[in-house]
Every structure is written in structure tokens, then in C-alpha cells.
Amino acid sequence: MSTQAEVRRLTAPDIRARKGTTPIVALTSYHAHTARIVDRHCDVILVGDSLGMVMHGLETTVPVTLDMMILQGHAVMRGSRQALVVVDLPFGSYEASKEQAFMSCARVMKETGCGAIKLEGGRRMAETIAFLTTRGVPVMGHIGLTPQAINTIGSFRAQGRDEKDWAPIEEDARAVAEAGAFSVVVEAVAEPLAARITAQVEIPTIGIGASAACDGQILVLEDMLGLSPRVPRFVKRYGDLGPGIGAAIEAYAADVRARAFPGPDNVYAMRGKPGKSS
Ligand code: KIV
């Protein structure tokens, strides 16, 4: 008999059903320890391919591999109990064909146990999204700024700031929703466009730099904690952990150099011999 209270993990249909109700709270996490904390407060944990930039110091997400996503996805599943864990498909693991996308999703879902995957692209990915969702893969879409396309778009800039650019982005949102995605990330788009998209699609929109008009919000954890050296202007810093971590490491280094650490409380005494550390 289980001694722990059973907690039912949120599912993609649960998140889908939140359209028009309470806002969906989402954050990224790549590790078991941060997942444990995020899990207490969030509905969705995204193991984003931003891990390439945040954990590995890469300039873009393009070099991230499926193996990197699976390793961190597994860690986040071990650290969390109630949130829906969504794992990103990295560049090159799904665009070639819908069959390639399915094989990548199957690996991610079998090897991590996650509840859904996310992939970037609107109309161009609609056929793939329909293929996946009819074969047991819950898909979160991602439109607007799609960072994996950095080499064709040239820079990480906001989308839809001129009304003449709105139509293709709205079409992307509708295509992803009609293909069967359970939700869609809308990244770095002008507020009125985010509001129009949210009103047009029947699935929840999860905004990042896309205003409070969206049905939910997501941020990169390290960005909102103040741990990232550079962040986009849409990020609100809810913490400033960098100086605290720096001060702790500085104190540790000083203690080690002064032989003040380990102290009596941090060493093992011999059994049966009373002493300060017994
Ligand atoms: O990779 C990521 O962290 C993301 C979010 C920015 C939505 O895709």
C-alpha cells in the first residue's frame, strides 16, 4: 500500500480544457531539483531546448540533440509529480517527415515518461501535428518567434509589430489548432495580435513575450530568477539569485582557503570516541 497521498499528474486534455477558465502557469526546468520546486506551483513544466543556451552556453538552440532532451526530460519527470511535463523536439529531429517526427516522439515519450511534446512551426507542421495526435502523441505547438529558425529569420526579434504581418501568424495558429494540438506557445508577438489569436483558436495560447491576452504564460526559469546574463525585454525578473549564489561561493572559497571549512560540525568522529563532532 502506498504511504504517499496519490497525486494525479495533469494531462494534455486537462490543459486543453483550461481554455477560457483559469490562466495556465508554465515554466521551464531541466533538472530534478528545480523541477521539484516548479512542480509545486505550475501546471506545465517545459523541458525546453533553451537548455542548449542556458545549460550548455550555446549561442542558439540549433545544436541541441534528441539525446540531450531525453536526458533532461527524464530528470524532470523524476523530480516532478503533478505538473504536465512537455519535452521539446530539437531542430533536425522532426522536420524531415511526419514519420521521423513520430519516431522522435516515441523515443522521447518511452524514455522519459513525459506527457506531451512541443514542436515549432505553424502551417508547415500542420500535417505532422495531425499525424502525431492521431497516433497517441499530445502536441503543444509553437508559433510567432520560432528560435530554431534563427538561421533563416536572422535575429530573435518580435513578430507581428506591423498589422500587415498578422495574417500568416494567425493562419499558423489556426492550422496548429485545427491539426489537433492541445495548446500553442505564442512567442514574442505584439499584444493585439496575441489577443486576436487567443480569440480565434479553441486551444489555450501560452504566451512568452505575447502579453496577458494569452490563456497562460511561460518563462525560462533561469531568466525569471535573474540567473541569465542577458534576457529579452519581456522577461520580468522575479528574483535576483545571481548575487546570492556568488556570495555563498565567495564565502565557501574564503573558508576553504582559511581552513575554516570543514569545521567540527562537518566531519565524522570515530565511533565511541566523544568529541566535538560526535
Ligand atoms: O525552449 C524553450 O524554453 C521554449 C520556451 C521559450 C517556450 O521553447
Side-chain angles (χ1 to χ4, degrees):
M1 196 180 78
S2 170
T3 50
Q4 285 190 333
E6 288 298 324
V7 178
R8 192 181 77 83
R9 216 183 249 284
L10 289 172
T11 63
D14 293 331
I15 298 302
R16 165 73 184 79
R18 294 274 288 274
K19 177 79 181 178
T21 64
T22 48
I24 296 158
V25 184
L27 278 174
T28 62
S29 167
Y30 321 122
H31 327 95
H33 288 342
T34 54
R36 198 163 288 124
I37 302 169
V38 172
D39 190 56
R40 290 186 210 128
H41 306 283
C42 291
D43 307 306
V44 175
I45 305 179
L46 173 68
V47 186
D49 63 352
S50 54
L51 65 79
M53 298 167 82
V54 176
M55 287 180 69
H56 298 276
L58 297 168
E59 283 297 311
T60 73
T61 56
V62 172
V64 173
T65 65
L66 202 58
D67 286 339
M68 288 159 83
M69 298 309 305
I70 289 172
L71 200 61
Q72 304 320 133
H74 198 191
V76 168
M77 282 300 293
R78 279 196 296 260
S80 62
R81 290 200 309 153
Q82 69 91 25
L84 172 67
V85 173
V86 181
V87 176
D88 252 343
L89 287 188
F91 179 71
S93 70
Y94 62 99
E95 303 90 330
S97 67
K98 45 195 196 309
E99 289 80 9
Q100 183 207 23
F102 181 78
M103 293 315 291
S104 295
C105 291
R107 257 201 82 194
V108 171
M109 293 174 74
K110 281 172 187 279
E111 294 181 35
T112 69
C114 72
I117 65 96
K118 176 166 85 57
L119 54 79
E120 295 185 8
R123 285 157 294 163
R124 69 185 165 85
M125 292 312 302
E127 200 186 329
T128 296
I129 294 172
F131 187 84
L132 295 175
T133 53
T134 50
R135 284 163 179 77
V137 180
V139 177
M140 176 182 276
H142 186 152
I143 61 158
L145 175 63
T146 49
Q148 291 175 10
I150 182 65
N151 290 307
T152 45
I153 58 179
S155 66
F156 296 117
R157 62 174 190 282
Q159 309 287 302
R161 296 185 80 181
D162 290 311
E163 214 173 318
K164 67 173 175 39
D165 301 328
W166 286 5
I169 305 174
E170 288 178 55
E171 283 169 32
D172 279 346
R174 285 197 300 270
V176 165
E178 283 160 19
F182 71 92
S183 62
V184 58
V185 167
V186 180
E187 180 161 354
V189 307
E191 179 167 18
L193 175 58
R196 280 174 65 96
I197 289 171
T198 301
Q200 279 174 40
V201 296
E202 287 181 2
I203 57 173
T205 55
I206 304 191
I208 174 161
S211 87
C214 294
D215 298 300
Q217 298 295 324
I218 184 161
L219 284 174
V220 171
L221 181 66
E222 285 76 358
D223 289 354
M224 59 89 83
L225 293 179
L227 286 172
S228 303
R230 289 187 313 276
V231 293
R233 64 174 289 272
F234 60 72
V235 173
K236 177 170 173 185
R237 286 188 181 226
Y238 284 86
D240 191 14
L241 301 196
I245 293 174
I249 295 170
E250 191 181 0
Y252 164 74
D255 273 2
V256 171
R257 290 189 179 110
R259 299 198 184 282
F261 174 82
D265 293 340
N266 316 114
V267 296
Y268 294 106
M270 293 295 288
R271 263 189 237 288
K273 292 208 174 170
K276 275 188 194 166
S277 55
S278 62

